[in-house]
Amino acid sequence: MTTTPDAQALITAFAASRDQVPADSVRTAVANWSTVGPELVQTVADYADGRDGSQRAAEALLPIIHAAAEARDTTAFAPVCRLVSLPVDQIGPLLGGALMDTLGAILTATWNGDTTPLETLLQSREAADLAQGSAMAALAWLTVTNHVPEARTRDILGALPDALPPQEGDEVRWAAWADTISALGLTSLEDTAAEVLLSGVFDRDAVDVEAFQADLADAAANADAVRQEIARSHLQPLNDAVQALTDLREQEEQARDEAQEGDPGVGAASAPEAEAPSAPEPHTNPYRDVGRNDPCPCGSGHKFKKCCAAA
């Protein structure tokens, strides 16, 4: 006799997994999504909207949103957008590398046909710039695959500078915005983008208007090839939640190992020092030393500006 899985038991298993990928529980959830999915998605919505801020719910979010993507649950799209609109110091530690590596594929997998949640995310001042970059990359994929009309995408991107005026320190967000415009060949937004990039708000070494204009011209001249490249990219809807979570975990472990190799003192604190709470690490751009025209460090073979810089 087959036992019907319980959503609350799965949430507990997800939360208890900590440093391990809860592979069996994720597969069980996906296989029985029609039964457990609504309650799992509600957990995401409750956390995003402040109704359940428990540690249990927080630690279950990462497996849930990946499982929802594999299950192609369109009801998860709006809650996920609200979730990643939360302040980076709240959501960053919970989702980690997923904000950059898998969020785009989660959004394209759960796309529900309504751009409103995506627009709200893009216009959030508190949202992590990497999350907004992934959202813009997802919008580009949805555009080239004809899920969102190009005119609608143009309106969304064109309205962003007024809805979210550029501020000092916003380079990552606006570089992703400009890269999305250039990748889609939206020549009607060239002047708007150049005005933002030359506004004087950003460090001139962090923006390259000439490179943007060259990329835009190239995309407009080779529209079919560029759009096919976007359509075949890592932004395709996520198909394997367990593999995606495993890859994220391996990346985190590699980053931790590299940090320990670079600092022999990491993890070597004395017992009294280890008991003291550590200060939160500042949010940094992990690709801050990568040039826009350098090969992308993810190994895709594309230039950085056409790959992870857009995500």
Side-chain angles (χ1 to χ4, degrees):
M1 180 177 179
T2 302
T3 302
T4 302
D6 176 72
Q8 290 301 316
L10 288 171
I11 292 170
T12 298
F14 291 156
S17 62
R18 300 188 183 278
D19 291 334
Q20 302 296 321
V21 174
D24 290 343
S25 297
V26 169
R27 293 190 181 102
T28 296
V30 173
N32 297 275
W33 197 259
S34 61
T35 301
V36 302
E39 197 166 346
L40 297 181
V41 171
Q42 188 61 49
T43 299
V44 177
D46 287 345
Y47 188 90
D49 299 337
R51 292 185 294 271
D52 182 0
S54 67
Q55 189 68 15
R56 175 174 175 269
E59 292 180 348
L61 295 171
L62 189 64
I64 290 175
I65 63 175
H66 283 79
E70 183 177 341
R72 297 295 187 270
D73 188 345
T74 58
T75 68
F77 181 76
V80 169
C81 286
R82 298 199 301 275
L83 177 68
V84 298
S85 295
L86 294 175
V88 64
D89 59 351
Q90 179 180 354
I91 203 62
L94 300 178
L95 300 187
L99 290 175
M100 180 171 62
D101 294 332
T102 59
L103 177 57
I106 291 171
L107 293 175
T108 60
T110 59
W111 167 243
N112 68 354
D114 181 9
T115 60
T116 303
L118 198 62
E119 293 174 68
T120 302
L121 165 57
L122 293 178
Q123 294 176 9
S124 169
R125 178 65 68 186
E126 293 184 324
D129 48 19
L130 292 177
Q132 290 177 320
S134 291
M136 282 186 262
L139 179 60
W141 188 91
L142 292 167
T143 303
V144 303
T145 54
N146 299 316
H147 290 82
V148 176
E150 183 177 300
R152 183 72 189 124
T153 297
R154 186 185 305 112
D155 289 344
I156 293 171
L157 296 174
L160 203 54
D162 290 332
L164 189 68
Q167 295 182 356
E168 186 176 354
D170 277 352
E171 288 89 350
V172 172
R173 175 183 292 123
W174 291 102
W177 173 77
D179 281 339
T180 304
I181 291 172
S182 64
L184 293 174
L186 302 178
T187 55
S188 62
L189 294 179
E190 179 175 2
D191 291 344
T192 301
E195 182 178 350
V196 168
L197 297 178
L198 294 173
S199 62
V201 173
F202 310 127
D203 182 343
R204 294 298 295 272
D205 292 334
V207 297
D208 189 337
V209 177
E210 292 184 356
F212 159 74
Q213 292 172 328
D215 290 343
L216 178 63
D218 178 69
N222 302 282
D224 289 344
V226 172
R227 286 171 177 250
Q228 288 175 14
E229 183 177 335
I230 295 173
R232 294 193 299 264
S233 73
H234 65 288
L235 298 164
Q236 295 179 82
L238 189 146
N239 285 319
D240 190 334
V242 169
Q243 185 61 57
L245 290 166
T246 300
D247 291 344
L248 288 172
R249 183 67 64 195
E250 290 176 350
Q251 291 168 16
E252 290 175 0
E253 291 175 352
Q254 181 180 356
R256 189 182 304 117
D257 291 344
E258 290 175 351
Q260 290 177 344
E261 290 175 2
D263 182 0
V266 173
S270 63
E273 292 175 338
E275 293 175 359
S278 59
E281 296 183 1
H283 172 63
T284 59
N285 175 10
Y287 291 153
R288 60 187 179 277
D289 297 324
V290 182
R292 285 167 48 79
N293 289 303
D294 291 344
C296 189
C298 77
S300 67
H302 302 304
K303 291 184 178 180
F304 175 57
K305 65 188 178 185
K306 293 294 187 182
C307 191
C308 289

